[in-house]
């Protein structure tokens, strides 16, 4: 199976190189993007890389997975879980691709121990602007490309294949939610959690006096399993429960059903409307499609003109040293006030 998968990958690479040789200066043609700002279409020829969406191999003993750049994380997770492992860092949304997470930034609740997605990469094949494919490793002649590729957003090339680290898993994740009334005590507890034995650590700031620290641990058994893929909403459970249990699969995608809490912009916090949407539409792919549709049709811009208000969707990641985090959060809540905030 692995030999056939790699043979197919080689055929796709040869075809892509032939297209590059004929096309000259090109951009990439892709189905998906998780950049959230509105962008105007750019004219020019596009290379079709949509077929680079295969998981090539999972070596659970060696601790790695090999996947093409357009593989979305839900497919990557499924392939890894079938082998008893998970990618070391799984970003929050199913539609994020492994190539996109490496060229951009990918982070999740294992990152306190394993870093960002690009810090779990062992090697990658890159289609460069010179029209060649090179294998970059931290210790070969393309080491500078390897180390510089993260956060380059395609300016240094496109990742056609990524080999990334995996972690062994158990069947379930036991989650503990602890509430705090101030930032100082919350971040002190966060520091302790990051130095402890938890497998997952994250948190949510609902307001200046309501902060929830969540820690997760792999377990072999669970007294029950929560389902946040349809009528129940995960972010609300943080204020309703102190302990919870999920399957590993559902834990990894706990934020995807409601795109954290952004689904409320579509009324999905209302049970009757949630049932009307249906389970299959409650996911980040649906919200992304609707966001792109709104961008094309200009519905929000029309409402702004009619109301006299200017509204803008803001999704922004910031990296703050832990010792400065309480100070920054105080500033953010006072001056910006966009809540909740994922930690």
């Amino acid at each position: 199976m692995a030999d056939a998968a790699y043979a197919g990958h080689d055929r796709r690479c040869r075809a892509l190189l032939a297209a590059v040789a004929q096309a000259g200066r090109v951009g990439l043609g892709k189905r998906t993007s998780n950049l959230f700002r509105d962008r105007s279409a750019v004219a020019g020829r596009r290379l079709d890389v949509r077929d680079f969406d295969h998981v090539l191999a999972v070596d659970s003993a060696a601790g790695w997975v090999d996947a093409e750049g357009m593989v979305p994380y839900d497919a990557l997770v499924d392939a890894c879980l079938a082998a008893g492992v998970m990618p070391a860092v799984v970003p929050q949304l199913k539609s994020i691709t492994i190539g996109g997470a490496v060229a951009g930034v990918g982070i999740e609740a294992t990152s306190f121990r394993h870093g960002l997605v690009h810090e779990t990469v062992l090697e990658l094949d890159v289609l460069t602007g010179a029209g060649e494919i090179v294998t970059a490793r931290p210790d070969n002649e393309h080491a500078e490309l390897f180390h510089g590729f993260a956060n380059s957003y395609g300016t240094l090339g496109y990742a056609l294949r990524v080999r990334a680290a995996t972690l062994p898993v158990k069947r379930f994740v036991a989650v503990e939610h602890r509430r705090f009334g101030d930032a100082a005590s919350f971040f002190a507890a966060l520091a302790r959690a990051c130095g402890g034995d938890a497998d997952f650590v994250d948190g949510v700031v609902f307001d200046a006096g309501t902060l929830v620290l969540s820690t997760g641990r792999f377990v072999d058994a669970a007294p029950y399993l929560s389902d946040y893929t349809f009528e129940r909403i995960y972010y609300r459970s943080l204020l309703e429960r102190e302990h919870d249990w999920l399957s590993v699969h559902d834990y990894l995608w706990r934020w995807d059903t409601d795109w954290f809490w952004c689904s409320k912009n579509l009324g999905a916090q209302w049970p009757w409307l949630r049932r009307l949407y249906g389970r299959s539409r409650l996911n980040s792919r649906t919200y992304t499609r609707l966001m792109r549709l709104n961008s094309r049709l200009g519905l929000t811009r029309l409402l702004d003109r009619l109301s006299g208000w200017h509204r803008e969707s803001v999704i922004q990641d910031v990296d703050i040293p832990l010792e400065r985090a309480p100070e920054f959060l105080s500033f953010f809540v006072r001056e910006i006030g966009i809540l909740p905030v994922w930690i």
Side-chain angles (χ1 to χ4, degrees):
M1 288 291 290
D3 289 343
Y6 283 110
H9 175 70
D10 288 341
R11 287 194 299 272
R12 289 186 288 277
C13 287
R14 289 196 298 271
L16 186 64
L17 287 175
V20 171
Q22 295 177 1
R25 185 175 180 179
V26 295
L28 293 176
K30 307 192 300 176
R31 292 187 186 95
T32 62
S33 172
N34 280 281
L35 294 175
F36 301 108
R37 65 183 181 272
D38 289 343
R39 288 158 293 162
S40 300
V42 178
R45 181 165 180 177
R46 296 286 168 180
L47 283 178
D48 189 348
V49 294
R50 292 175 296 178
D51 289 339
F52 284 84
D53 61 353
H54 297 71
V55 178
L56 303 173
V58 180
D59 191 327
S60 54
W64 54 257
V65 58
D66 236 359
E68 293 179 324
M70 282 297 292
V71 173
Y73 264 93
D74 56 349
L76 190 66
V77 164
D78 287 348
C80 287
L81 290 183
V85 296
M86 60 171 274
V89 178
V90 178
Q92 313 81 12
L93 306 182
K94 294 179 179 180
S95 58
I96 294 173
T97 61
I98 186 169
V102 176
V105 173
I107 190 170
E108 236 293 337
T110 57
S111 290
F112 76 100
R113 180 169 294 142
H114 302 287
L116 302 176
V117 167
H118 68 265
E119 294 176 288
T120 72
V121 173
L122 305 175
E123 66 177 38
L124 65 162
D125 290 348
V126 179
L127 172 65
T128 71
E132 58 182 355
I133 298 173
V134 302
T135 299
R137 302 188 186 93
D139 57 356
N140 72 356
E141 67 272 25
H142 301 294
E144 289 187 345
L145 176 60
F146 178 90
H147 292 295
F149 194 81
N151 215 24
S152 62
Y153 288 94
T155 58
L156 300 181
Y158 181 74
L160 298 178
R161 180 187 64 89
V162 179
R163 179 171 293 185
T166 61
L167 305 173
V169 302
K170 297 181 180 180
R171 293 183 63 193
F172 311 111
V173 178
V175 188
E176 179 184 13
H177 305 303
R178 296 174 57 201
R179 296 184 210 168
F180 296 86
D182 64 274
S185 59
F186 169 83
F187 284 111
L190 176 63
R192 291 192 295 272
C194 289
D197 62 353
D199 296 301
F200 305 92
V201 177
D202 70 345
V204 173
V205 178
F206 289 93
D207 57 51
T210 310
L211 305 91
V212 180
L213 174 65
S214 300
T215 52
R217 290 173 173 80
F218 288 120
V219 293
D220 292 314
Y224 63 84
L225 292 178
S226 291
D227 179 0
Y228 297 108
T229 63
F230 188 23
E231 294 192 1
R232 298 177 64 193
I233 299 174
Y234 180 73
Y235 72 87
R236 288 182 172 175
S237 75
L238 275 61
L239 298 175
E240 298 167 350
R241 295 176 176 269
E242 292 184 3
H243 300 277
D244 208 351
W245 285 264
L246 294 88
S247 69
V248 172
H249 177 275
D250 286 358
Y251 177 82
L252 293 177
W253 302 127
R254 66 201 184 283
W255 294 119
D256 186 84
T257 302
D258 286 277
W259 197 353
F260 289 90
W261 32 79
C262 294
S263 65
K264 65 185 179 182
N265 296 326
L266 304 174
Q269 76 274 29
W270 301 108
W272 67 271
L273 193 53
R274 204 171 180 86
R275 287 190 288 271
L276 184 63
Y277 282 133
R279 187 189 299 265
S280 64
R281 296 185 185 90
L282 291 169
N283 54 65
S284 61
R285 285 190 173 92
T286 296
Y287 308 137
T288 300
R289 285 196 294 267
L290 291 173
M291 181 181 69
R292 303 294 184 219
L293 179 64
N294 173 62
S295 177
R296 291 196 302 272
L297 298 179
L299 299 178
T300 303
R301 293 192 295 273
L302 175 61
L303 291 174
D304 285 349
R305 287 196 298 271
L306 294 175
S307 66
W309 288 86
H310 172 70
R311 284 165 289 214
E312 184 178 358
S313 177
V314 177
I315 300 177
Q316 179 66 55
D317 297 334
V318 293
D319 297 334
I320 307 298
L322 191 55
E323 63 272 14
R324 302 299 298 273
E327 176 188 359
F328 175 81
L329 183 62
S330 176
F331 156 80
F332 180 86
V333 172
R334 182 180 68 250
E335 301 293 340
I336 309 300
I338 299 176
L339 294 165
V341 172
W342 184 56
I343 305 293

